[in-house]
Amino acid sequence: VYGTVSAQGPTRARLDRDAVARTALELADREGLAALSMRRLADALGVGTMTLYGYFRTKEDLLDAVIDAGYADFEPPPPSSSFRDAARELIFAARAVLQRHPALVEIRGAQPTVRQRAYRITEAAVGALMDAGFTPDEAARAFRVLFDYVFGYALVNPHAPSDELRREAHASLVALPPEEFPALTSMAAEMAEAVGGGDQFEYGLERILDGLEARLALSASATTASAGAPAARRRRTGRRAR
Amino acid sequence: VYGTVSAQGPTRARLDRDAVARTALELADREGLAALSMRRLADALGVGTMTLYGYFRTKEDLLDAVIDAGYADFEPPPPSSSFRDAARELIFAARAVLQRHPALVEIRGAQPTVRQRAYRITEAAVGALMDAGFTPDEAARAFRVLFDYVFGYALVNPHAPSDELRREAHASLVALPPEEFPALTSMAAEMAEAVGGGDQFEYGLERILDGLEARLALSASATTASAGAPAARRRRTGRRAR
DNA sequence: ACCTGAACACCGTTCAAGT
DNA sequence: ACCTGAACACCGTTCAAGT
């Protein structure tokens, strides 16, 4: 007696690709990518397993949509006046997405990502870098350093820093044989702090920004000498770049 | 008629944990982590599937040994006189391991790594950093930046740079709508180069080293002002650190 | 003691049958 | 037209039987 009002089953919203993908993302974030099976996802949605194949040709197709759903959460920060602030805000926003959706990092390990929404981060970042005076070539390279760092940090440190992580790291370090690991065993406390410490990400980001700023100063003075003021790309809010 | 001399089956070396782990690593590197199943591995070794459980309690146990087998390939470079050279050599050696064994990156995405052989890289790196004058706290943090960068690079760019990669990246960039991605579409060539270019890794490493060197100069002068010469840790070849 | 086939509870996906 | 159960070729692992 198919009722008209009451919702039966775990989830009874009208299904479409996006709704399925969002539920899949939630499942993978919560229990890990390995827990995301077509059968479990169908159960969570209250439909038969094969119903999912009406929305996605294969599981790979579903994972693409999951990536898209994850990057939809990226919110470009408001433009900042200084290069330093703009870059910092952007990288923090990018890290926030990967932290909220660890599944994105897990999936990236299995296949390259070329989803349009993922490129929104790239667009915002290279835009900011060129606004700061980087040439297109340098902006592309600088972006990749920052991006690789954020991904690497997320991969190596998938969980938020915690006392428990610190304790575990410390325990595994002091268990090493000192003859073979003289430095590590002598500085186990400092290493454990760097593994599970709350401001390690910021430390690394500041060092990279130092390096990029030094590079910018160099190339800016070179540009000034040969062709006047640096770049002066139209503001990001403008429609056409260059 | 069980012969005494001739080898039958795909592999007929005496089996032990290490031999099994090395075959598993080879399989995962060649065909991806997903291809490494207990059944396929047993076939490759010419034994019954359940035989493997005589060497490893679970698949997770096997993967730990696979990680260990991968990091066994790390060869610490000879000590260099300058901080810059030492760090560069070390990071290149670390990247070489991850490039030869992409399975290490794939596995890391699924679970944290705490294998003794993996710590050899850490030991060599923090040793070099402290030799250069970093305090234990700064050495731990600086190491993590470099380490996260190497891992991030390996995760984002699992294949060696190639013309094909560059072409694919370029194609997906120029396909983006210019109104939404003004910067990216205007610099597609530069971005494609940074994705598949041969010296992108080096570019990023140099920027990070610039940032770390600046930091070292700062803390060294602070140390000099307050306590004389910087650190002067005993050479890494010495047994006791501090 | 060592090795391993059968079996169980899972996968992704094809195919044909239900409405 | 849409949905989905049965079935197939895979998983990791337990258990009991083979030598």
Side-chain angles (χ1 to χ4, degrees):
Chain A
V1 288
Y2 205 75
T4 49
V5 201
S6 78
Q8 79 276 53
T11 303
R12 203 57 300 177
R14 197 99 233 91
L15 278 195
D16 57 39
R17 280 178 63 97
D18 220 58
V20 174
R22 275 200 305 269
T23 305
L25 174 65
E26 200 188 324
L27 179 58
D29 282 339
R30 189 160 21 92
E31 305 192 37
L33 188 58
L36 174 57
S37 73
M38 299 303 264
R39 282 166 159 94
R40 283 203 55 184
L41 176 58
D43 276 359
L45 291 165
V47 298
T49 305
M50 292 317 298
T51 305
L52 298 180
Y53 287 83
Y55 299 98
F56 301 98
R57 244 182 358 81
T58 63
K59 189 178 183 182
E60 199 181 319
D61 193 15
L62 167 68
L63 289 181
D64 276 350
V66 167
I67 291 171
D68 221 37
Y71 285 111
D73 267 8
F74 171 72
E75 201 56 55
S80 301
S81 48
S82 88
F83 155 68
R84 195 100 186 178
D85 289 347
R88 210 181 348 241
E89 292 295 316
L90 258 160
I91 298 302
F92 270 72
R95 182 178 72 139
V97 171
L98 297 184
Q99 207 160 249
R100 185 154 49 235
H101 302 299
L104 294 177
V105 181
E106 274 194 88
I107 296 174
R108 167 61 89 146
Q111 64 197 229
T113 296
V114 279
R115 297 296 298 178
Q116 188 153 321
R117 277 184 185 146
Y119 279 130
R120 291 191 307 141
I121 300 179
T122 314
E123 172 69 24
V126 295
L129 288 162
M130 285 167 66
D131 279 343
F134 282 95
T135 62
D137 173 60
E138 289 276 335
R141 292 177 176 282
F143 165 73
R144 282 271 310 185
V145 188
L146 292 165
F147 188 74
D148 291 351
Y149 174 63
V150 174
F151 251 93
Y153 182 88
L155 178 71
V156 172
N157 216 338
H159 306 293
S162 72
D163 285 348
E164 199 195 330
L165 263 176
R166 255 187 295 273
R167 253 181 285 117
E168 278 175 25
H170 191 264
S172 78
L173 287 164
V174 295
L176 294 172
E179 324 82 55
E180 214 179 329
F181 300 95
L184 276 179
T185 48
S186 76
M187 57 183 282
E190 287 87 351
M191 282 303 292
E193 181 62 30
V195 167
D199 61 347
Q200 171 63 30
F201 180 76
E202 290 83 339
Y203 175 92
L205 179 56
E206 296 302 325
R207 298 294 77 70
I208 295 175
L209 291 177
D210 284 344
L212 290 178
E213 247 179 0
R215 179 77 171 186
L216 179 59
L218 266 181
S219 84
S221 63
T223 308
T224 309
S226 69
R233 200 176 68 91
R234 198 176 298 278
R235 259 222 139 296
R236 266 197 301 130
T237 44
R239 284 291 90 150
R240 263 158 307 164
R242 313 191 58 107
Chain B
V1 287
Y2 207 75
T4 49
V5 200
S6 77
Q8 79 276 49
T11 304
R12 204 56 302 177
R14 197 99 234 92
L15 279 195
D16 56 39
R17 280 177 64 96
D18 220 57
V20 175
R22 275 201 304 270
T23 305
L25 174 65
E26 200 188 324
L27 179 58
D29 281 339
R30 190 159 21 91
E31 305 194 36
L33 188 58
L36 173 58
S37 73
M38 299 303 264
R39 281 165 160 94
R40 282 203 56 184
L41 177 58
D43 276 358
L45 292 165
V47 298
T49 305
M50 293 316 300
T51 304
L52 298 181
Y53 287 82
Y55 300 97
F56 301 97
R57 241 179 5 79
T58 62
K59 188 178 183 183
E60 201 181 319
D61 194 15
L62 167 67
L63 289 182
D64 276 352
V66 168
I67 292 171
D68 220 36
Y71 284 111
D73 266 8
F74 172 72
E75 201 56 56
S80 302
S81 48
S82 88
F83 155 68
R84 194 99 188 180
D85 289 347
R88 211 182 345 242
E89 293 295 317
L90 258 160
I91 298 301
F92 270 72
R95 181 177 72 139
V97 171
L98 297 185
Q99 207 161 247
R100 185 155 47 236
H101 302 299
L104 294 177
V105 181
E106 273 195 89
I107 296 173
R108 166 62 89 146
Q111 64 195 231
T113 296
V114 279
R115 296 297 297 178
Q116 187 153 319
R117 276 183 186 150
Y119 278 129
R120 291 190 308 141
I121 300 180
T122 314
E123 172 69 22
V126 295
L129 288 163
M130 283 165 65
D131 280 344
F134 282 94
T135 62
D137 173 61
E138 290 276 335
R141 291 177 175 284
F143 165 74
R144 281 272 308 187
V145 188
L146 292 165
F147 188 74
D148 291 351
Y149 174 63
V150 174
F151 251 92
Y153 183 89
L155 178 71
V156 173
N157 217 338
H159 307 291
S162 73
D163 285 348
E164 199 195 332
L165 262 175
R166 254 187 294 273
R167 253 181 284 117
E168 278 175 23
H170 191 264
S172 79
L173 287 164
V174 294
L176 294 171
E179 323 83 56
E180 215 180 328
F181 299 95
L184 276 179
T185 48
S186 76
M187 56 183 284
E190 287 87 353
M191 283 303 292
E193 181 62 28
V195 168
D199 61 347
Q200 171 61 32
F201 180 77
E202 290 83 339
Y203 175 92
L205 178 57
E206 296 301 326
R207 298 293 77 70
I208 295 175
L209 292 176
D210 285 344
L212 290 177
E213 247 180 358
R215 179 78 171 187
L216 179 59
L218 266 181
S219 85
S221 63
T223 308
T224 308
S226 69
R233 198 176 70 90
R234 197 176 299 279
R235 259 224 140 293
R236 264 198 301 133
T237 44
R239 285 290 90 155
R240 263 159 304 164
R242 310 191 59 109

